[in-house]
Amino acid sequence: GGITFRHRFLYVGRAFYREWIALRPLAEPGQWRVCFGAIEIGRIDVSASTDIPKGNYHRMMAPRLR
């Protein structure tokens, strides 16, 4: 499954197809947590410039382990 956020296509994983995904802001500007319920499944950085062509998926960063 994928989502669109701030004009970027993000691949979140096949297991999350048709599931509710939350985007929660982090303290750093442009950084967002991607969550399934209370579980963080990844992070995205929309402040970084990208050379990925429009219509192609961006990858999430791995979540921080506690």
Side-chain angles (χ1 to χ4, degrees), residues 6-62:
R6 298 207 176 160
H7 306 289
R8 296 179 188 216
F9 293 103
L10 301 158
Y11 182 73
V12 294
R14 191 176 193 181
F16 302 104
Y17 177 71
R18 292 195 176 200
E19 295 290 346
W20 289 95
I21 300 295
L23 296 174
R24 298 185 176 124
L26 291 167
E28 301 89 17
Q31 299 276 321
W32 294 81
R33 292 174 53 210
V34 182
C35 299
F36 178 68
I39 302 168
E40 182 178 344
I41 58 172
R43 292 181 178 216
I44 57 173
D45 183 1
V46 295
S47 65
S49 62
T50 179
D51 58 352
I52 297 176
K54 185 177 181 180
N56 292 309
Y57 284 102
H58 291 74
R59 293 201 172 266
M60 290 189 302
M61 297 179 285

